[in-house]
């Protein structure tokens, strides 16, 4: 069976018919991507209307829902019904689909990502081939128009503030962003096929050099180079080494590539207009969610941590009060760059938007607080430099820094109410390092709104000093470290710390601990210093399930990927046994 496509010539009427068919299939590909938003958006609205009508929109009197007594006849009766068995099978399938695929010692993404990605690729390929007949140019153009039809969807998936996909699926930008990356790869592959097919024709026809520099074709060539640059800089190794290069390339390509496509193919202009409108809409919305705060930046003695306290307008602060576990995007505006801090003068800060979890809300000062660990990034380094300059400032006002804060964002803003209404009788919180800045506010909020639930928090830190940010500055504040339900695990190198102590470096004994009268915080920290080992998550998770009996166990995790994977591995056997689990893992990396 030979190659079915031919380099035929068409009459003007036949070309017009081909143009109509191309436009029609482009619209089918475009609107089929928007169909899930419409369907699930209507379902989401229906659920909200039902909860509003039944008075359960905010739980029961603002509290979590009633959890049946473990091993009660009500639970066993429900599990034996067809609906209960179907619910259990669905939970197992969702968990299985959420598992990562590992090959050659590497993670290749979740099963659900592969399933959706391959399904959507197959659908778009079908639209690329249907009705093309033997017309080689029709096939070539079809790949191009189908790829361009997906660009507005790609832009919608990237929105942070008002993302229609995140809203329809009760998700968040961070979760939807996984599919933004998948669709980006699909679009890039379709564009590659479009490029290859056209280049094959130009080479066979001997027109490659003459057509390459034709204005219409050359605009497409430059646009393709931008797509290549985005794809290359999005590779993990390049992102890890030079994330700013990826970000700037991504931003520039997203703006200029669609503009060039207008001159390359007039049929793409409506999709390009959509992209531009979405781009401008995103800027406007993010501007609405942003505020410039005069922040106080302090170093936490004996650690590599920096604490930032930023007062916000009352209206903006209200959004954070109802969203524990949310995060913000931090940037350094021009007015916040000081000549006395040379590292703040870098032009990189025009393209720096770093996510940080909101660790606390100070009602008295009407401010939010977040903690930053000093790393190799430009933002953490400049915050460290500002913190070092704070003690030597001539006045407290001079030490303050103007920071641009955008938010709140985060999946937990959508899922927190789901946690309260899950019927969980026990909640296990797991935090690693500064991951507690996400976990601890949820722990405190759940403690207030689910007083009957049994809570347990596992917090793994390198040194005891890494937990001192959670100790209130005033003895009048409640010291969460005195809570027996919070278990601290010190995972740092004991020998290295002992050596550092002999050289006069800051160790556990040199940390600024609260006084003895502060709810037993000092004694609590001393016990933590004796707990020098990594948490045994298999034992912790098994014990939590056994104590929960047949009730719902909620698990909230935030920490290094290895820790999150370990916790998920330990929870998985219980899910496959049919146990009911509410699970959330918070992460920023990809």
């Amino acid at each position: 069976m030979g190659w079915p496509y031919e380099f035929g010539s068409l009459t003007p009427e036949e070309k017009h018919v081909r143009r109509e068919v191309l436009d029609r299939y482009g619209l089918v590909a475009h609107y089929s991507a928007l169909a899930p938003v419409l369907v699930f958006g209507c379902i989401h609205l229906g659920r909200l209307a039902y909860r509003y009508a039944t008075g359960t929109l905010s739980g029961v009197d603002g509290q979590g829902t009633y959890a049946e007594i473990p091993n009660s006849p009500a639970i066993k009766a429900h599990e034996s019904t067809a609906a209960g068995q179907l619910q259990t099978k669905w939970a197992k399938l969702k968990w299985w689909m959420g598992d990562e695929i590992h090959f050659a010692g590497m993670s290749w993404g979740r099963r659900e990502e592969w399933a959706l990605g391959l399904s959507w690729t197959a659908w778009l390929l079908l639209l690329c081939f249907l009705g093309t007949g033997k017309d080689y140019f029709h096939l070539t153009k079809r790949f191009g128009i189908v790829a361009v039809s997906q660009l507005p969807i790609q832009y919608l998936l990237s929105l942070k503030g008002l993302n229609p996909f995140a809203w329809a699926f009760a998700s968040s930008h961070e979760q939807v962003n996984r599919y933004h990356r998948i669709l980006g790869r699909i679009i890039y592959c379709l564009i590659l096929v479009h490029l290859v097919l056209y280049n094959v024709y130009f080479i066979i026809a001997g027109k490659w050099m003459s057509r390459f520099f034709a204005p219409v074709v050359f605009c497409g060539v430059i646009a393709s180079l931008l797509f290549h640059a985005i794809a290359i800089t999005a590779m993990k190794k390049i992102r890890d080494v030079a994330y700013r290069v990826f970000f700037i390339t991504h931003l520039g390509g997203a703006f200029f590539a669609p503009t060039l496509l207008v001159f390359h193919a007039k049929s793409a202009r409506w999709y390009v207009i959509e992209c531009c409108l979405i781009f401008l809409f995103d800027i406007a919305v993010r501007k609405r969610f942003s505020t410039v705060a005069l922040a106080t930046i302090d170093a936490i003695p004996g650690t590599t941590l920096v604490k930032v306290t930023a007062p916000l307008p009352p209206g903006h602060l209200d959004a954070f009060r109802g969203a524990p576990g949310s995060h913000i995007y931090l940037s350094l505006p021009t007015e916040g760059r000081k000549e006395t801090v040379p590292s703040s003068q870098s032009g990189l800060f025009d393209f720096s938007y770093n996510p940080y979890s909101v660790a606390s809300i100070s009602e008295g000062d009407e401010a939010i607080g977040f903690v930053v660990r000093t790393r190799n990034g430009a933002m953490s380094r400049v915050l460290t430099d500002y913190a070092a300059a704070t003690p030597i400032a001539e006045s407290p006002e001079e030490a303050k820094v103007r920071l641009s804060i955008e938010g709140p964002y985060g999946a937990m803003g959508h899922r927190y109410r789901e946690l309260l209404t899950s019927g969980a009788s026990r909640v296990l919180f797991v935090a690693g390092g500064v991951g507690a800045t996400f976990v601890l506010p949820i722990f405190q909020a759940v403690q207030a709104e689910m007083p009957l639930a049994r809570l347990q928090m596992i917090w793994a830190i390198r040194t005891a000093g890494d937990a001192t940010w959670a100790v209130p500055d005033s003895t009048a504040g409640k010291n969460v470290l005195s809570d027996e339900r919070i278990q601290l695990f010190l995972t740092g190198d004991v020998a290295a710390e002992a050596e550092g102590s002999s050289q006069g470096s800051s160790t556990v004994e040199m940390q600024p601990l609260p006084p003895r009268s502060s709810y037993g915080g000092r004694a609590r920290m001393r016990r933590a210093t004796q707990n020098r080992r990594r948490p045994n998550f298999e034992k912790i998770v098994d014990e939590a399930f056994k104590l929960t009996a047949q009730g719902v166990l909620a698990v909230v995790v935030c920490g290094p990927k290895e820790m999150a994977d370990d916790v998920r591995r330990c929870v998985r056997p219980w899910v496959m046994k049919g146990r009911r689990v509410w699970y959330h893992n918070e992460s920023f990396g990809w």
Side-chain angles (χ1 to χ4, degrees), residues 407-443:
Y409 293 119
M412 208 60 190
H414 302 276
R415 300 204 70 195
Y416 177 65
R417 189 58 53 185
E418 181 184 325
L419 169 61
L420 297 182
T421 58
S422 64
S425 58
R426 180 178 292 273
V427 185
L428 174 62
F429 297 90
V430 179
V434 292
T437 57
F438 167 81
V439 171
L440 192 56
I442 304 173
F443 177 90

Side-chain angles (χ1 to χ4, degrees), residues 114-435:
W114 279 92
L116 184 60
L118 291 174
S119 299
W120 194 248
T121 301
W123 167 244
L124 294 182
L125 286 176
L126 180 65
L127 294 179
C128 287
F129 283 97
L130 281 178
T132 57
K134 296 183 178 181
D135 188 347
Y136 182 89
F137 297 110
H138 193 165
L139 177 68
T140 304
K141 294 174 183 289
R142 184 75 70 82
F143 271 95
I145 193 66
V146 170
V148 173
S149 74
Q150 300 300 291
L151 287 178
I153 312 302
Q154 180 76 339
Y155 280 58
L156 285 175
L157 287 170
S158 70
L159 295 181
K160 286 185 172 65
L162 297 177
N163 190 311
F165 286 91
W167 175 82
F169 293 96
S171 183
S172 69
H173 156 72
E174 289 73 24
Q175 293 178 329
V176 170
N177 194 48
R178 300 200 309 266
Y179 302 102
H180 167 79
R181 300 192 297 271
I182 293 171
L183 183 58
R185 297 184 185 110
I186 296 173
I187 294 173
Y188 181 64
C189 290
L190 294 176
I191 291 174
L192 281 180
V193 175
H194 176 75
L195 291 171
V196 169
L197 291 176
Y198 255 124
N199 276 276
V200 167
Y201 166 71
F202 289 150
I203 292 172
I204 292 176
K207 300 179 179 179
W208 191 88
M209 186 59 68
S210 61
R211 293 298 296 164
F212 183 85
F213 292 103
V216 172
V217 176
F218 196 63
C219 286
V221 171
I222 298 176
S224 69
L225 292 177
L226 291 174
F227 287 124
H228 292 324
I230 292 174
I232 292 171
T233 56
M235 298 173 66
K236 180 173 174 53
K237 290 185 178 180
I238 296 179
R239 290 198 325 269
D240 292 343
V241 174
Y243 184 84
R244 298 289 172 246
V245 174
F246 155 74
F247 182 82
I248 295 171
T249 305
H250 211 75
L251 190 64
F255 181 79
F256 289 108
T259 305
L260 290 167
L261 290 177
V262 173
F263 301 98
H264 175 67
K266 291 183 179 180
S267 58
R269 63 184 181 274
W270 293 114
Y271 301 117
V272 173
I273 290 173
E274 279 188 63
C275 292
C276 293
L277 291 176
I278 294 169
F279 191 88
L280 295 174
F281 174 76
D282 183 43
I283 294 175
V285 170
R286 294 184 67 174
K287 187 72 175 177
R288 171 65 181 83
F289 279 91
S290 300
T291 185
V292 176
L294 198 57
T296 302
I297 305 176
D298 297 303
I300 299 178
T303 71
T304 58
L305 302 178
V306 172
K307 185 174 182 180
V308 182
T309 304
L312 297 180
H316 202 163
L317 194 63
D318 290 339
F320 288 91
R321 290 192 179 99
S326 59
H327 66 265
I328 54 98
Y329 281 89
L330 182 71
S331 59
L332 184 62
T334 304
E335 59 268 29
R337 303 172 194 179
K338 299 182 179 182
E339 294 182 358
T340 54
V341 181
S343 59
S344 69
Q345 302 300 308
S346 173
L348 288 176
F349 293 111
D350 293 332
F351 307 97
S352 295
Y353 300 90
N354 294 58
Y356 296 108
S357 296
V358 177
S360 62
I361 297 178
S362 176
E363 297 293 347
D365 299 330
E366 295 190 338
I368 62 171
F370 53 94
V371 178
V372 180
R373 184 180 293 280
T374 304
R375 298 189 184 277
N376 295 325
M379 183 62 72
S380 64
R381 287 201 306 268
V382 76
L383 291 176
T384 303
D385 292 342
Y386 276 128
T390 297
I392 60 176
E394 294 182 359
S395 65
E397 289 300 318
E398 185 182 344
K400 294 182 179 179
V401 181
R402 293 190 180 276
L403 299 176
S404 179
I405 295 175
E406 178 189 338
Y409 293 119
M412 208 60 190
H414 302 276
R415 300 204 70 195
Y416 177 65
R417 189 58 53 185
E418 181 184 325
L419 169 61
L420 297 182
T421 58
S422 64
S425 58
R426 180 178 292 273
V427 185
L428 174 62
F429 297 90
V430 179
V434 292

Side-chain angles (χ1 to χ4, degrees), residues 443 447 478-487 519 524:
F443 177 90
Q447 182 180 8
K478 184 176 180 181
N479 181 5
V480 296
L481 298 183
S482 65
D483 196 328
E484 293 295 336
R485 294 170 297 183
I486 299 179
Q487 298 174 262
Y519 297 87
R524 178 70 172 155

Side-chain angles (χ1 to χ4, degrees), residues 59-96:
V60 181
D61 296 330
Q63 304 293 320
T65 56
Y66 168 76
E68 299 96 335
I69 299 174
N71 288 323
S72 67
I75 293 180
K76 295 180 179 179
H78 174 73
E79 291 179 348
S80 62
T81 62
Q85 294 176 358
L86 182 62
Q87 185 179 4
T88 300
K89 290 180 180 179
W90 174 246
K92 292 180 181 179
L93 178 61
K94 284 179 62 178
W95 189 274
W96 183 81

Side-chain angles (χ1 to χ4, degrees), residues 456-523:
Q456 180 185 9
M457 177 174 168
I458 306 298
W459 187 2
I461 51 179
R462 293 177 182 175
T463 65
D466 287 346
T468 54
W469 62 264
V471 180
D473 297 331
S474 171
T475 57
K478 184 176 180 181
N479 181 5
V480 296
L481 298 183
S482 65
D483 196 328
E484 293 295 336
R485 294 170 297 183
I486 299 179
Q487 298 174 262
L488 299 180
F489 289 81
L490 304 185
T491 61
D493 189 344
V494 180
E497 289 180 12
E499 181 181 352
S501 177
S502 65
Q503 296 175 356
S505 63
S506 296
T507 56
V508 174
E509 288 73 23
M510 297 180 67
Q511 305 304 326
L513 299 180
R516 294 179 184 274
S517 58
S518 182
Y519 297 87
R522 181 179 290 243

